[in-house]
Amino acid sequence: MSEFIGSVWWLIVSLGVLVTFHEFGHYWVARRCGVKVLRFSVGFGKALWSRRGRDGVEYVIAAIPLGGYVKMLDEREGDVAPADAPRAFNRQTVWKRIAIVIAGPFANLLLCVALFWAMFVIGRPDYAPVVGETSGVAASAGLQRGDTMLAVGDRETPTWSEAQLALIPAALDHRDVEVKVRPQGRTGEVVRTLRLSKLPEHFDERRAVEFIGLTPRHALMPTVVGRVLPGKPAWGVLAEGDRITAIDGDPIASWDAIPTAVQKLGKRGGTAMVEVERKGDRLALEIAPVWARAPNGSYAWVLGMEPAAPAEPPKDAVLRYGPLDAIPAAFRETVHQTSELFAMIGRAFSGRVSVQNTVAGPITIARAANAYAQHGVAWYLSMLALLSLSLGILNLLPIPILDGGHLLYYLIELAKGSPVSERVMAAGQYVGLALIAGLMGLAFYNDIVNNLVR
């Protein structure tokens, strides 16, 4: 399946699931409150499929899968037979109307918890939170190659993704944070303090971990020779597939360490031993670099070899709980992600993060859904949980035409003792449409900049 087709497919599936649960929340509570439901639609526009149930509700799947709605009997939208008037939405008490409106976002919240529970039970494969290389703030804090990160602040980090998600908010806030690590080859634990307050005032938040100076072990380029250049010192000495383990006695953990070792060897002069693994054998081969033009066009000491194209390393950790332990874990994760989502909204409004990287449109969501789906069921469920949570919170924003806008009207009605006037509601509709149009415009702009221009 091509990336385009896969992205479109998983976008439709994701939005279909989220919208169906959201609208079902409205539908279920409306029916329990005695309101007559006329239509349950997943999507907008022309109906692709429709069926009228025994309960008289028209169930519809429409052509534009970017939302949905539940149409209820309402005297403000048309004539209502006297016998049906008690079942009209507008005739219900304010508390019933509040319950019906809030049921959609609440359904998304419940779905989020259920999805996290399923993700924990299935188990999400990942990489161990082991440090590969350090520099900058991370190196100053004393983090070293081989350290296993056990916790960042008060959040445990059983996988690299968990460590990364814990580090990014602290970096965006320029907040110092303690990291509990287990050094390589030791059983004890030590605490290092990352001075994230020393990070640059403005940096690309998508590269926050890189600015901290952390490179995970699994991201290190393996020291496997892919090609030996004719006429260079490595020609006839090294071979394709050789794994370099040491140069002049210095251990080599990643390909990025080779240029530094070669420059050191060249400045020293003479030959040195390059230790390699070749088809299960360990060899020590004599070699001396030459001063020549490097691939980037500058002159440097070179051996004349290129790295093999790295394959994705196998996952060596998994985030998993038993069915019972996954229940509180799912609730904790939902609470944590809710807190982080509100914090990110606050950072966007305060200017600490760019709205370009905060508000995502359908293209970004589609590509993310496809990418997560390719990594397995658990990864896709985790993304779907976050989308469900975001949809629920977005709908609670006090913007007219959203659930939160209606909720605001009803709270005002409770305070003043009478419904908001039709004039105020009409004005609110226009304001809400303008705000939603602006938000959608920003989302599509970000999609174009982040996915098509770059």
Side-chain angles (χ1 to χ4, degrees), residues 126-327:
D126 207 329
Y127 295 106
V130 179
V131 176
E133 299 286 354
T134 63
S135 61
V137 172
S140 299
L143 287 170
Q144 298 179 350
R145 177 190 301 165
D147 284 353
T148 299
M149 292 189 288
L150 305 175
V152 175
D154 58 358
R155 184 170 174 82
E156 294 184 355
T157 55
T159 67
W160 179 261
S161 293
E162 294 297 301
Q164 185 171 248
L165 290 174
L167 287 168
I168 291 175
L172 296 179
D173 294 336
H174 289 78
R175 169 171 46 87
D176 294 344
V177 66
E178 290 186 342
V179 180
K180 184 189 298 182
V181 302
R182 182 174 60 246
Q184 185 176 24
R186 291 168 54 183
T187 57
E189 301 172 358
V190 297
V191 176
R192 309 293 188 194
T193 300
L194 286 173
R195 304 294 180 185
L196 302 183
S197 55
K198 296 182 178 180
L199 289 175
E201 186 64 27
H202 299 287
F203 60 87
D204 187 345
E205 51 262 30
R206 293 168 302 179
R207 299 167 53 204
V209 176
E210 180 181 337
F211 275 91
I212 294 173
L214 282 172
T215 300
R217 180 181 63 184
H218 64 267
L220 296 177
M221 180 176 289
T223 60
V224 178
V225 177
R227 178 169 172 251
V228 180
L229 303 180
K232 293 295 190 292
W235 183 255
V237 179
L238 299 178
E240 180 180 343
D242 283 353
R243 180 181 295 275
I244 299 174
T245 59
I247 294 180
D248 202 22
D250 294 330
I252 301 296
S254 70
W255 191 273
D256 294 336
I258 292 178
T260 301
V262 172
Q263 301 314 301
K264 178 181 176 181
L265 177 59
K267 291 176 181 178
R268 193 203 69 185
T271 61
M273 305 305 293
V274 175
E275 298 174 34
V276 303
E277 291 182 1
R278 179 184 297 173
K279 297 179 180 180
D281 296 327
R282 299 182 64 88
L283 307 175
L285 307 172
E286 193 174 60
I287 197 170
V290 295
W291 185 255
R293 186 185 294 275
N296 61 7
S298 62
Y299 278 85
W301 294 100
V302 300
L303 295 180
M305 58 188 180
E306 296 176 352
E312 182 178 358
K315 303 291 196 300
D316 54 0
V318 62
L319 181 62
R320 178 184 286 130
Y321 293 96
L324 294 180
D325 291 337
I327 296 174

Side-chain angles (χ1 to χ4, degrees), residues 94-123:
V94 65
W95 288 110
K96 284 187 177 181
R97 282 178 277 145
I98 287 175
I100 293 170
V101 166
I102 207 171
F106 186 71
N108 282 125
L109 184 63
L110 288 180
L111 177 61
C112 175
V113 174
L115 290 170
F116 275 135
W117 177 85
M119 179 204 73
F120 285 133
V121 171
I122 293 172

